[in-house]
Amino acid sequence: MKKVLLGLLPILMVACGDPTDTGNVDNEPYSGVWRGVIALNDSVVLPFNFELETAEDSSMTLFIFNGDEEIETSVSRVGKDSIKIEMPVFANYIVAKLGSDNLQGTYINPDAENYRLPFTATYGDSARFEITEPKCCDINEKWAVKFNPETENERPAIAYFEQYGKVVKGTFATETGDYRYLQGVLSGDHLQLSAFDGAHLFLFDAKVMGQTIEGLFYSGRSGFKTWKAYRDDDFELRNADSLTYLKEGYSKVDFSFNNLKGEPVSLSDPKYDGKPVIVQIMGSWCPNCMDETRYLSQVYDQYNDEGLEIIGLTFERAKNMEMALARANKMVNDLSIEYPVLLAGATKDDNAAELLPMLNHIMSFPTAIYLNADHTVRKIHTGFSGPGTPLYEEFTAKDQTVIEEILKTQAGE
C-alpha cells in the first residue's frame, strides 16, 4: 500500500476520486494519497506528499515521500477530532484537526522558540507542484553550484538532477553534506523542488536559462539563500578527508564523555585498547547524521566481530540535559543504533570544537574520525553525502578499503 505514491510520480497529476466508505465514520480521514503544505512564512509554502492508512480499529499510519525516500511516522489520537504526527529520530511533530478529506493544524519544533508553522493537507492530490507549461529543456546530470554567489558567504556545491519529462528528482551535495531527497517539477523554465523529512523543510525555486540556473533556496521558517548553477562536468568539491585534521602538537584523539546511562566512557578504556575505532561526531537534529548512522550501523554489523569499534558523540541542541537525553535516546531507538552513543553536548552552548580541542575545527555534523588500533588518526571525513546522491556508492566502496586497512593495524597482525 505505502508504495502507491512512487507509481504516481511520473504522472504527478491531481488524482481525485470518490473515497470509499471504509474507515470514514465520524470524520475519519480517507485512506490514500494526500498533499500536505507547510507555510514557511506569509508568502512561501512548502508542499510534500504523503499516504495515510486508516485501519478498521481507527488506528492510522502515515508515510511521507521525497523522491525515492519513504518515511514512516507515528500517528496518535489527540481527543476525538485531532491527531499528532510524530517524526522518527527528530523531536518535531504535527498536530492537526481531522476532516474526511482535509487536515488543518500546526507543525511544531519544540527545541526552538515559538517555532509553529501552519499546516494543511488535502486528500486525493498527488501533485507536489502545479505544472502549467511544457518543459523547456533537459537539466539531467551534474551542475556546478554557488550558494550566495558573489558574496563573502559564497559556498560551492554540486547539483544532481534526474528528469523524467516534467518531473525532477535530485539533490545538492556540499562540502558538509547533501540536501537529501528532493522532488519537484520543471514547468516551462520554472524549476521547483522540495523535501520534508519531518524536521527539515527545503524548498528550491529557480529559473532555467540555457546553460545556467538561477534561483532561491528556503530552509525552514527563516533560512534563505540565492544560488546559481552552471553546466560543468569537471567541477569537484574539495576532498572531504582534507578539511578537518589534528592541530599541531597533537598526535591522537582523546575524550571522556558519559553514555546515555550517565556512565563515563573514554578511548582509554580497556574495551578499546588495541582496537581500531571510528568516532562519529553527530546530533539527533542532523539529517546527514541520520544517513551516516544507517551506514555506520551496517559497518558495525559487518566488522565488529573482527575488532572494529564505533563510538557516537552526540551534540544535542535541546533546552536542558533532560531534553537532550530524551532526544538522544529517541535517536538511538528509532535508528536501532547498536554501538555506544555518548552525550558530548546537551545544548547549543556546548561547542564541539572546544570539547575536542585536538581538531582544527568541527566544520560539519557529521564528522567521522577513523583511528588505527593504536588510536593514531588514519583519516577524518567531514560531512556525509548519503544515498540520495551519486557519490554514496563510490564513498562506501573506498571507505570499506580504509576500514579493512585499520583492522590490519591490530596488535599481532
Side-chain angles (χ1 to χ4, degrees):
M1 181 67 175
K2 61 187 177 182
K3 295 289 188 180
V4 65
L5 189 61
L6 299 181
L8 294 173
L9 180 61
I11 303 173
L12 209 71
M13 300 292 287
V14 175
C16 297
D18 295 330
T20 63
D21 293 331
T22 304
N24 295 321
V25 180
D26 296 328
N27 240 22
E28 291 288 342
Y30 297 130
S31 292
V33 176
W34 292 65
R35 180 179 187 264
V37 173
I38 296 175
L40 304 185
N41 53 50
D42 291 341
S43 60
V44 179
V45 299
L46 180 138
F48 64 99
N49 300 105
F50 63 89
E51 183 177 349
L52 183 65
E53 297 179 358
T54 303
E56 291 184 1
D57 64 358
S58 294
S59 64
M60 301 179 198
T61 307
L62 189 148
F63 300 91
I64 297 171
F65 297 93
N66 299 296
D68 296 330
E69 180 181 47
E70 174 185 307
I71 303 169
E72 182 176 355
T73 69
S74 174
V75 183
S76 57
R77 297 278 177 170
V78 182
K80 290 184 178 180
D81 64 348
S82 298
I83 57 172
K84 181 179 182 181
I85 306 167
E86 297 182 82
M87 310 302 168
V89 184
F90 307 117
N92 305 37
Y93 60 92
I94 292 171
V95 288
K97 186 173 182 179
L98 296 172
S100 297
D101 59 1
N102 68 88
L103 300 174
Q104 295 189 18
T106 307
Y107 167 76
I108 299 170
N109 178 353
D111 291 330
E113 192 68 29
N114 195 32
Y115 201 119
R116 303 169 65 88
L117 301 177
F119 162 78
T120 58
T122 306
Y123 169 77
D125 190 350
S126 65
R128 203 175 189 94
F129 296 97
E130 184 180 4
I131 299 173
T132 58
E133 302 177 39
K135 69 166 187 173
C136 72
C137 40
D138 181 354
I139 64 167
N140 269 299
E141 303 299 336
K142 176 180 174 182
W143 295 73
V145 176
K146 294 179 180 179
F147 283 105
N148 293 323
E150 300 175 7
T151 73
E152 62 180 11
N153 295 318
E154 181 177 294
R155 295 292 183 271
I158 299 174
Y160 298 97
F161 298 130
E162 296 179 44
Q163 184 177 354
Y164 306 90
K166 302 171 187 176
V167 178
V168 180
K169 297 189 296 181
T171 195
F172 290 74
T174 76
E175 292 183 338
T176 58
D178 65 275
Y179 286 102
R180 308 192 75 249
Y181 298 90
L182 300 170
Q183 178 182 327
V185 301
L186 182 60
S187 178
D189 61 2
H190 188 192
L191 175 64
Q192 295 173 286
L193 297 163
S194 69
F196 172 59
D197 64 4
H200 303 88
L201 303 99
F202 297 150
L203 176 66
F204 290 83
D205 190 287
K207 183 176 182 180
V208 181
M209 299 173 289
Q211 298 300 302
T212 63
I213 304 174
E214 294 189 19
L216 306 175
F217 166 51
Y218 302 88
S219 176
R221 64 177 175 178
S222 58
F224 174 79
K225 296 177 182 178
T226 59
W227 62 279
K228 290 184 179 181
Y230 311 85
R231 285 285 192 188
D232 187 348
D233 292 336
D234 297 324
F235 178 73
E236 300 291 342
L237 300 172
R238 290 182 295 174
N239 185 344
D241 295 344
S242 69
L243 304 177
T244 306
Y245 49 85
L246 289 180
K247 290 179 183 175
E248 185 176 351
Y250 290 93
S251 60
K252 294 184 179 182
V253 173
D254 196 16
F255 54 79
S256 180
F257 299 112
N258 288 346
N259 62 21
L260 303 188
K261 296 180 180 179
E263 302 163 340
V265 175
S266 171
L267 270 178
S268 59
D269 292 345
K271 175 179 179 179
Y272 304 108
D273 187 34
K275 291 185 177 181
V277 182
I278 300 175
V279 180
Q280 180 193 23
I281 300 170
M282 64 194 302
S284 68
W285 45 270
C286 161
N288 299 125
C289 298
M290 181 172 60
D291 286 335
E292 183 184 63
T293 297
R294 291 192 175 107
Y295 165 68
L296 288 179
S297 291
Q298 296 173 0
V299 168
Y300 188 74
D301 288 343
Q302 183 175 354
Y303 292 107
N304 180 240
D305 287 345
E306 297 182 36
L308 178 70
E309 298 289 349
I310 300 178
I311 304 174
L313 306 182
T314 187
F315 288 83
E316 295 303 312
R317 294 183 173 179
K319 296 177 181 179
N320 52 53
M321 178 65 73
E322 182 180 2
M323 291 180 67
L325 279 170
R327 302 288 183 265
N329 275 301
K330 176 177 171 60
M331 173 181 65
V332 168
N333 292 332
D334 288 356
L335 293 177
S336 301
I337 304 174
E338 297 295 331
Y339 52 85
V341 174
L342 315 184
L343 185 57
T347 71
K348 291 182 179 180
D349 295 329
D350 294 319
N351 191 314
E354 293 177 0
L355 294 170
L356 296 167
M358 70 289 301
L359 302 179
N360 65 318
H361 58 194
I362 304 296
M363 180 177 172
S364 172
F365 287 82
T367 294
I369 308 169
Y370 291 67
L371 305 178
N372 296 313
D374 63 357
H375 296 173
T376 54
V377 174
R378 174 59 65 98
K379 77 166 185 175
I380 302 177
H381 188 83
T382 297
F384 190 78
S385 293
T389 74
L391 306 173
Y392 180 72
E393 290 188 6
E394 179 182 357
F395 165 77
T396 55
K398 290 182 178 179
D399 199 56
Q400 184 170 345
T401 299
V402 174
I403 291 168
E404 291 176 353
E405 287 174 352
I406 64 175
L407 281 167
K408 292 176 182 178
T409 66
Q410 296 180 88
E413 294 189 21

